[in-house]
Amino acid sequence: MGEARQRKDKGEPTLASRQRKRQQFLIWGGGSLLVVAVIALAIYLATPGTGPVGGLPQAAEGASPFPSQVDQYGVQLGDPDAPVVVREFADYQCPACANFSRLHADLKAEYIDSGQVRLVFFDMPLSQHRNSLVAAQAARCAGAQNRYWEMHDQLFARQSGWSLESDPVETFTGYAEDLDLNAARFSSCLRREQRLDEVEASMRVARQLQVASTPTVFVDNIHLPRPAWEVLSGVIDRELAAAESD
């Protein structure tokens, strides 16, 4: 009796059945690897500071200089006379904005502290985010006690903790206490919406410039569709070189 017949009689898999199973395993395994690769690529491209640069963005043909007079309605960091200006329109409850905020430390260390770049942050709270407007006011209220950027960082770093709260004022007041602010003064500022006018003025700038999404980032008058660090720093370096040659 042949081996194939013996395996059949004993209920053991035949050579043909083993080959079919192996083919099915290879097909499923290959499909799984493809899915994993696609997911990994999506995460890679969605993470600020990663991904291929390709051609760096250019100003639109015939584009006018950015209207710098509106900078007064944003919050500024850096030398007022810096040759390059980075302008950011963001929402504190926007996850992509929280991702981009992680680049601020590198931006500050590489360019702002040396006087090469000035950063202007514009509030653009979106209507679908229930707590983004009060978060923008919280940062401005902290700014009244000279802690704007510290509160800015806290809001983004702890975004998942306050985004779905029905009333985040107590949470924000806790952040203020962590930053050694006068908590009563901060809470009063927030409850009475004492900085709402400033936030709304920033929102009007976004509307006037037809900014439609967050984060929207400009280097001078150059819009960065995907502001990864390699793109951001590449455009800044190019603009600095152009400024030096003028």
Side-chain angles (χ1 to χ4, degrees), residues 18 33 39 42 53 74 82 110 120 129 135 141 156 166 178 185 195 202 207 218-219 225 230 232:
R18 288 203 305 271
L33 288 174
I39 293 173
V53 174
E110 293 289 332
V120 187
H129 292 155
C141 286
F156 277 130
S166 58
D178 292 342
R185 179 183 167 193
R195 301 287 165 169
S202 178
R207 287 195 295 270
F218 292 89
V219 177
E230 292 85 352
L232 177 64

Short mmCIF file of all heavy atoms in Angstrom, two decimals, residues 18 33 39 42 53 74 82 110 120 129 135 141 156 166 178 185 195 202 207 218-219 225 230 232:
data_model
loop_
_atom_site.label_atom_id
_atom_site.label_comp_id
_atom_site.label_asym_id
_atom_site.label_seq_id
_atom_site.Cartn_x
_atom_site.Cartn_y
_atom_site.Cartn_z
N ARG A 18 -1.81 19.01 1.99
CA ARG A 18 -0.79 19.83 2.67
C ARG A 18 -0.36 20.99 1.76
O ARG A 18 -0.14 22.11 2.23
CB ARG A 18 0.42 18.96 3.03
CG ARG A 18 0.16 18.00 4.18
CD ARG A 18 1.48 17.59 4.86
NE ARG A 18 2.44 17.05 3.92
CZ ARG A 18 2.51 15.75 3.59
NH1 ARG A 18 1.64 14.90 4.12
NH2 ARG A 18 3.42 15.32 2.74
N LEU A 33 0.45 40.82 5.86
CA LEU A 33 1.63 41.69 5.80
C LEU A 33 1.32 42.96 5.03
O LEU A 33 1.80 44.04 5.40
CB LEU A 33 2.79 40.94 5.14
CG LEU A 33 3.44 39.83 5.98
CD1 LEU A 33 4.48 39.09 5.14
CD2 LEU A 33 4.08 40.42 7.24
N ILE A 39 -1.01 50.16 7.09
CA ILE A 39 -1.27 50.86 8.36
C ILE A 39 -0.01 51.58 8.83
O ILE A 39 -0.05 52.73 9.26
CB ILE A 39 -1.77 49.87 9.43
CG1 ILE A 39 -3.16 49.34 9.04
CG2 ILE A 39 -1.83 50.54 10.80
CD1 ILE A 39 -3.66 48.23 9.94
N ALA A 42 0.59 54.68 6.82
CA ALA A 42 -0.35 55.75 7.17
C ALA A 42 0.08 56.46 8.45
O ALA A 42 0.04 57.68 8.55
CB ALA A 42 -1.77 55.18 7.32
N VAL A 53 10.29 64.33 2.11
CA VAL A 53 10.10 65.76 1.93
C VAL A 53 9.63 66.06 0.52
O VAL A 53 8.68 66.79 0.30
CB VAL A 53 11.41 66.52 2.23
CG1 VAL A 53 11.25 67.99 1.89
CG2 VAL A 53 11.79 66.35 3.69
N GLY A 74 -2.59 87.70 17.14
CA GLY A 74 -2.07 86.42 17.58
C GLY A 74 -1.18 86.60 18.80
O GLY A 74 -0.99 87.71 19.29
N ALA A 82 12.79 89.39 13.59
CA ALA A 82 13.30 88.15 12.98
C ALA A 82 13.02 88.16 11.48
O ALA A 82 11.95 88.60 11.04
CB ALA A 82 12.65 86.94 13.63
N GLU A 110 16.09 75.71 17.57
CA GLU A 110 16.84 75.85 16.33
C GLU A 110 16.79 77.26 15.75
O GLU A 110 17.76 77.72 15.15
CB GLU A 110 16.33 74.85 15.29
CG GLU A 110 16.58 73.39 15.63
CD GLU A 110 18.04 73.01 15.52
OE1 GLU A 110 18.76 73.65 14.72
OE2 GLU A 110 18.46 72.10 16.24
N VAL A 120 4.00 83.23 15.45
CA VAL A 120 2.73 83.88 15.79
C VAL A 120 1.66 82.79 15.82
O VAL A 120 1.43 82.11 14.81
CB VAL A 120 2.35 84.97 14.78
CG1 VAL A 120 1.10 85.72 15.27
CG2 VAL A 120 3.50 85.94 14.55
N HIS A 129 -15.74 71.33 18.14
CA HIS A 129 -15.00 71.00 19.35
C HIS A 129 -15.57 71.80 20.53
O HIS A 129 -15.35 73.01 20.63
CB HIS A 129 -13.50 71.28 19.17
CG HIS A 129 -12.84 70.36 18.20
ND1 HIS A 129 -11.70 70.69 17.49
CD2 HIS A 129 -13.18 69.11 17.79
CE1 HIS A 129 -11.35 69.69 16.72
NE2 HIS A 129 -12.23 68.72 16.88
N ALA A 135 -10.75 76.66 25.98
CA ALA A 135 -9.32 76.35 26.09
C ALA A 135 -8.49 77.52 25.57
O ALA A 135 -7.46 77.88 26.17
CB ALA A 135 -8.99 75.07 25.32
N CYS A 141 -5.89 83.73 29.39
CA CYS A 141 -5.95 84.13 30.81
C CYS A 141 -4.62 83.84 31.50
O CYS A 141 -4.17 84.62 32.36
CB CYS A 141 -7.09 83.39 31.51
SG CYS A 141 -8.74 84.00 31.10
N PHE A 156 -2.21 71.29 25.19
CA PHE A 156 -1.97 70.30 24.13
C PHE A 156 -1.50 68.97 24.71
O PHE A 156 -1.94 67.90 24.26
CB PHE A 156 -0.96 70.83 23.12
CG PHE A 156 -1.57 71.73 22.07
CD1 PHE A 156 -1.01 72.97 21.78
CD2 PHE A 156 -2.68 71.33 21.36
CE1 PHE A 156 -1.56 73.79 20.81
CE2 PHE A 156 -3.25 72.14 20.39
CZ PHE A 156 -2.69 73.38 20.11
N SER A 166 -17.67 68.19 30.51
CA SER A 166 -18.81 69.09 30.34
C SER A 166 -18.47 70.52 30.74
O SER A 166 -19.00 71.48 30.17
CB SER A 166 -20.01 68.60 31.17
OG SER A 166 -19.65 68.52 32.54
N ASP A 178 -0.79 74.36 38.91
CA ASP A 178 0.47 73.65 38.63
C ASP A 178 1.55 74.61 38.12
O ASP A 178 2.75 74.38 38.33
CB ASP A 178 0.25 72.54 37.59
CG ASP A 178 -0.60 71.41 38.13
OD1 ASP A 178 -0.75 71.29 39.36
OD2 ASP A 178 -1.14 70.64 37.30
N ARG A 185 -7.62 84.41 40.43
CA ARG A 185 -7.60 85.40 39.34
C ARG A 185 -7.79 84.71 37.99
O ARG A 185 -8.55 85.19 37.14
CB ARG A 185 -6.29 86.17 39.37
CG ARG A 185 -6.14 87.21 38.27
CD ARG A 185 -4.77 87.86 38.37
NE ARG A 185 -4.45 88.62 37.18
CZ ARG A 185 -3.24 89.08 36.89
NH1 ARG A 185 -2.23 88.85 37.70
NH2 ARG A 185 -3.04 89.77 35.78
N ARG A 195 -11.11 87.32 28.29
CA ARG A 195 -10.21 87.30 27.13
C ARG A 195 -10.92 86.81 25.87
O ARG A 195 -10.27 86.54 24.86
CB ARG A 195 -9.00 86.41 27.42
CG ARG A 195 -8.19 86.87 28.61
CD ARG A 195 -7.40 88.13 28.31
NE ARG A 195 -6.91 88.78 29.51
CZ ARG A 195 -6.02 89.77 29.52
NH1 ARG A 195 -5.55 90.22 28.36
NH2 ARG A 195 -5.63 90.32 30.64
N SER A 202 -8.83 86.97 16.87
CA SER A 202 -7.98 86.01 16.17
C SER A 202 -8.81 85.17 15.19
O SER A 202 -8.36 84.89 14.06
CB SER A 202 -7.28 85.10 17.18
OG SER A 202 -6.48 84.15 16.54
N ARG A 207 -10.89 83.89 9.41
CA ARG A 207 -11.97 83.98 8.42
C ARG A 207 -11.58 84.91 7.27
O ARG A 207 -11.84 84.60 6.09
CB ARG A 207 -13.27 84.46 9.08
CG ARG A 207 -13.93 83.42 9.96
CD ARG A 207 -15.36 83.81 10.29
NE ARG A 207 -15.42 85.03 11.08
CZ ARG A 207 -15.41 85.06 12.41
NH1 ARG A 207 -15.31 83.92 13.11
NH2 ARG A 207 -15.50 86.21 13.06
N PHE A 218 1.94 78.81 7.97
CA PHE A 218 2.62 79.59 6.94
C PHE A 218 4.04 79.89 7.39
O PHE A 218 4.27 80.21 8.57
CB PHE A 218 1.91 80.93 6.69
CG PHE A 218 0.55 80.83 6.07
CD1 PHE A 218 -0.58 80.71 6.86
CD2 PHE A 218 0.39 80.87 4.69
CE1 PHE A 218 -1.85 80.63 6.30
CE2 PHE A 218 -0.87 80.79 4.12
CZ PHE A 218 -1.99 80.66 4.92
N VAL A 219 4.98 79.81 6.46
CA VAL A 219 6.31 80.37 6.67
C VAL A 219 6.38 81.58 5.75
O VAL A 219 6.38 81.44 4.53
CB VAL A 219 7.42 79.36 6.32
CG1 VAL A 219 8.79 80.02 6.47
CG2 VAL A 219 7.32 78.14 7.23
N PRO A 225 1.18 72.63 3.28
CA PRO A 225 0.05 71.70 3.33
C PRO A 225 0.26 70.59 4.35
O PRO A 225 -0.68 70.12 4.97
CB PRO A 225 -0.01 71.14 1.91
CG PRO A 225 0.72 72.13 1.06
CD PRO A 225 1.79 72.70 1.94
N GLU A 230 10.75 68.25 8.65
CA GLU A 230 11.65 68.36 7.52
C GLU A 230 11.19 69.43 6.54
O GLU A 230 12.00 70.15 5.98
CB GLU A 230 11.77 67.00 6.80
CG GLU A 230 12.49 65.93 7.59
CD GLU A 230 11.57 65.18 8.54
OE1 GLU A 230 10.40 65.61 8.68
OE2 GLU A 230 12.00 64.18 9.14
N LEU A 232 9.04 72.02 7.35
CA LEU A 232 9.08 73.30 8.06
C LEU A 232 10.50 73.86 8.10
O LEU A 232 10.74 75.02 7.72
CB LEU A 232 8.53 73.11 9.47
CG LEU A 232 8.57 74.33 10.40
CD1 LEU A 232 7.67 75.44 9.86
CD2 LEU A 232 8.12 73.93 11.81
#
